Amino acid sequence: MSKLEFLIAWRYLGAQRKSLFVSLIGIFSMLGVSIGVFALVVALAAVNGFEEEVTAQMIGKDAHFEIMAYNGEPIAPYDSLIKEVRAHDSRVTAASPFIIYKVGISSKKVNDGIVIYGIDGESSKGVTDIHKYIKWGNYSVDSLEDLSGKMRPGIILGNGLANRLRVVVGDKLVLQTFQSPDAVAASGGPKMMMCVVSGIFETGTYEYDGNLAYVGIPELQTLLTMGDAVTGIQFRMNDHWKAGVAVDSLGTWLGYPYYAMDWKTKNITLLKWMNYEKFIVAAVICLIILVAAFNIISSLIMVVIDKTKEIGILRSMGFSKASIMRVFMLMGSFIGVGGTIVGGSIGLILCKLQEAYHFIKLPGDVYVIPYFPISVHVLDVVLIFVIGIALCVAATILPAWKASRLDPVGAIRHE
């Protein structure tokens, strides 16, 4: 590629009196590429931001993996199992037993059904981050005094559930078991336990805030007559992305009746949906760049028609077909590279400003976080630039080939 070819291609891009309309088409083609690349950079950064934020929410509220028994059978004793798992995998940093059950819950004004967790107040802080989301009261399942001075088990509620029950910290609630009619007749009625609200948490996720409550393991064991058994054991690792590997390793020696499940398996549907969403968003917005590439084809064809006589003169001066083809491919490349750099740069600047200042807000009562999350991945940016430039360069091949096939004599005689 010679310097002369480069200069001719650059000159053909400039606005001239006789080809102002052709030059405008080239400018609009560059704008189309810029808009497409800008939209793709911002859209993928937004999808990445939401994906990372949702993943952080999952990891914060769930353990990295859990061990339970098949058919919902209780686990007892569980201390030895915890020691075995920690000895088997040094990446495990914390463990805590838990009980999970569905119960009825009643306040003075409302009756409802919820999922109740029995937890150990101290060890549970090592496996989940619920204690970091306490908005009112304390993260405590220890016994508290109610308004009449009697000691009652403490219960921690999600904000949505507390609003639905119309209770605040210090109010009393009644938990009761669900039983079949035969079991109720045999036992004399459902078992009940009175609790005092010790804390209210707010994570921003409806499934957690509106349906979960936490009490102490001994109190729930008494209510459910489980003895010293628990439903399962939650574990946290030093790297949550290795939880699946740890679960696979446990599966080889844990054996029946136990099984392990990591946080990704529990949320597999949501994680798959986020991956599909990223692919669909990228594919749809790539169509904008593709349309801009077709505009480049049309603008170069217009240039070939407008410059037919000049092409003939260049051929008669010794320019080869390959040289003519390179001139017009350079023209299209200037449009593609320029549009990609301008659009990508503006998109990256906007993303960095949003990351730093969070000036684009979201309604906190609808979304998980109060601002528009952005996360720029270097690999995504590189792929966007490569795809944008490649599409634009590919679009130049047909008109450039058309220009190189012009007959010099017929081109010079062209009016």
Side-chain angles (χ1 to χ4, degrees):
M1 186 178 299
S2 67
K3 184 177 180 180
L4 180 59
E5 294 169 358
F6 185 91
L7 291 174
I8 292 173
W10 184 258
R11 185 173 183 275
Y12 279 179
L13 276 177
Q16 303 173 48
R17 285 185 304 169
K18 294 183 179 180
S19 57
L20 180 59
F21 179 71
V22 175
S23 298
L24 286 175
I25 293 177
I27 292 172
F28 287 130
S29 299
M30 183 179 291
L31 286 175
V33 175
S34 298
I35 292 171
V37 172
F38 167 81
L40 194 51
V41 168
V42 174
L44 287 186
V47 171
N48 290 333
F50 273 106
E51 182 177 347
E52 291 177 6
E53 193 64 37
V54 171
T55 301
Q57 294 276 358
M58 291 178 193
I59 297 168
K61 302 181 195 90
D62 269 334
H64 291 172
F65 70 92
E66 299 174 351
I67 291 179
M68 291 181 286
Y70 286 102
N71 301 319
E73 292 295 323
I75 298 175
Y78 53 84
D79 290 335
S80 58
L81 183 57
I82 292 176
K83 291 178 181 178
E84 288 180 25
V85 172
R86 300 193 73 160
H88 178 78
D89 197 329
S90 60
R91 294 169 297 186
V92 174
T93 59
S96 181
F98 73 96
I99 299 172
I100 184 171
Y101 204 77
K102 289 184 178 180
V103 298
I105 189 167
S106 303
S107 64
K108 290 182 179 180
K109 301 178 180 179
V110 180
N111 299 317
D112 208 339
I114 63 165
V115 175
I116 190 79
Y117 270 90
I119 59 171
D120 178 82
E122 288 303 316
S123 63
S124 64
K125 294 179 181 179
V127 295
T128 68
D129 293 334
I130 295 296
H131 61 282
K132 297 179 181 179
Y133 296 99
I134 293 295
K135 194 169 185 180
W136 296 281
N138 301 302
Y139 184 80
S140 173
V141 290
D142 296 334
S143 296
L144 301 172
E145 285 189 9
D146 61 15
L147 297 178
S148 63
K150 292 183 179 181
M151 298 298 292
R152 306 286 188 185
I155 183 170
I156 304 169
L157 307 175
N159 187 43
L161 178 58
N163 289 336
R164 202 160 68 242
L165 295 172
R166 304 176 194 173
V167 295
V168 295
V169 173
D171 286 348
K172 290 187 290 188
L173 294 171
V174 176
L175 300 179
Q176 64 180 33
T177 57
F178 294 126
Q179 293 178 311
S180 66
D182 293 339
V184 170
S187 63
K191 295 184 178 181
M192 298 185 181
M193 179 175 69
M194 185 170 288
C195 305
V196 177
V197 178
S198 59
I200 297 175
F201 64 86
E202 184 176 34
T203 64
T205 303
Y206 177 78
E207 285 80 2
Y208 293 92
D209 295 345
N211 298 288
L212 294 186
Y214 297 86
V215 295
I217 286 179
E219 289 76 17
L220 197 54
Q221 286 174 332
T222 301
L223 179 67
L224 303 177
T225 60
M226 293 181 63
D228 293 328
V230 295
T231 303
I233 306 167
Q234 296 178 320
F235 294 89
R236 175 157 286 199
M237 305 181 63
N238 52 19
D239 183 358
H240 60 271
W241 295 111
K242 298 294 180 64
V245 177
V247 166
D248 292 339
S249 176
L250 288 172
T252 60
W253 68 271
L254 197 58
Y256 187 85
Y258 305 118
Y259 70 94
M261 180 183 297
D262 67 301
W263 65 273
K264 288 187 289 186
T265 303
K266 290 180 67 176
N267 300 282
I268 187 67
T269 302
L270 181 58
L271 292 172
K272 282 185 176 180
W273 174 80
M274 289 192 294
N275 288 332
Y276 291 147
E277 181 189 40
K278 185 174 182 178
F279 173 77
I280 293 170
V281 167
V284 170
I285 297 181
C286 272
L287 294 177
I288 300 176
I289 304 177
L290 191 59
V291 170
F294 278 106
N295 287 338
I296 293 175
I297 295 176
S298 62
S299 66
L300 288 182
I301 290 175
M302 293 287 290
V303 173
V304 170
I305 295 173
D306 185 66
K307 304 294 185 182
T308 299
K309 188 172 183 179
E310 286 87 340
I311 293 171
I313 293 172
L314 289 173
R315 288 296 312 280
S316 66
M317 292 173 63
F319 262 61
S320 65
K321 292 182 178 180
S323 295
I324 296 296
M325 191 167 182
R326 284 195 292 269
V327 167
F328 285 92
M329 288 187 70
L330 276 172
M331 286 183 63
S333 299
F334 290 153
I335 295 173
V337 172
T340 301
I341 292 175
V342 171
S345 299
I346 295 174
L348 288 174
I349 291 171
L350 179 63
C351 290
K352 290 301 180 182
L353 289 174
Q354 174 63 14
E355 276 187 303
Y357 301 107
H358 302 154
F359 59 88
I360 302 177
K361 304 295 183 181
L362 295 175
D365 56 341
V366 177
Y367 296 95
V368 176
I369 52 177
Y371 60 88
F372 197 80
I374 291 291
S375 178
V376 179
H377 292 182
V378 175
L379 181 59
D380 286 345
V381 175
V382 172
L383 286 175
I384 291 168
F385 274 66
V386 169
I387 291 172
I389 293 172
L391 285 175
C392 295
V393 172
T396 65
I397 295 176
L398 179 61
W401 179 81
K402 176 72 175 176
S404 69
R405 304 298 295 177
L406 289 176
D407 177 62
V409 177
I412 292 173
R413 295 172 61 185
H414 175 77
E415 292 295 336

